[in-house]
């Protein structure tokens, strides 16, 4: 089973690649307050069908380039 993450496309300016921001909530160990942290992943998009604002699911895969280790599986919703 490969790891899957849900995120938002923040950039689609590269050819066959999109940048996906994945947000998650973390709990502060001392103050017990929840706060949001985010990570950006470059994901493979062969057809160029995903654009900024789209909510997508990405899946871990073999290295496709220097920075690209993920591929877009499906779109969940379209941005505004």
């Amino acid at each position: 089973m490969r790891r899957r993450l849900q995120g938002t496309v923040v950039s689609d300016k590269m050819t066959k690649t999109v940048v996906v921001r994945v947000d998650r909530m973390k709990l502060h160990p001392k103050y017990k307050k929840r706060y949001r942290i985010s990570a950006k992943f470059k994901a493979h998009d062969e057809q160029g069908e995903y654009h900024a604002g789209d909510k997508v699911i990405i899946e871990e895969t073999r290295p496709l380039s220097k920075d690209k280790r993920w591929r877009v599986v499906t779109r969940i919703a379209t941005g505004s």
Side-chain angles (χ1 to χ4, degrees), residues 28-60:
H28 192 281
K30 181 176 180 181
Y31 300 113
K32 308 300 182 198
K33 180 175 178 175
R34 291 187 169 277
Y35 59 99
R36 181 180 293 121
I37 63 169
S38 61
K40 288 183 184 176
F41 299 98
K42 289 183 182 168
H44 188 65
D45 171 22
E46 183 70 35
Q47 307 300 325
E49 57 189 301
Y50 304 103
H51 302 289
D54 291 352
K55 302 257 190 237
V56 295
I57 293 177
I58 58 174
E59 182 179 67
E60 205 170 27

Side-chain angles (χ1 to χ4, degrees), residues 2-41:
R2 295 181 177 193
R3 218 167 27 141
R4 286 190 173 197
L5 298 173
Q6 179 179 329
T8 307
V9 177
V10 291
S11 173
D12 60 343
K13 296 184 183 210
M14 292 174 275
T15 307
K16 298 186 180 184
T17 304
V18 292
V19 179
V20 179
R21 186 186 72 227
V22 176
D23 293 327
R24 67 186 182 103
M25 298 299 284
K26 196 170 177 183
L27 186 67
H28 192 281
K30 181 176 180 181
Y31 300 113
K32 308 300 182 198
K33 180 175 178 175
R34 291 187 169 277
Y35 59 99
R36 181 180 293 121
I37 63 169
S38 61
K40 288 183 184 176
F41 299 98

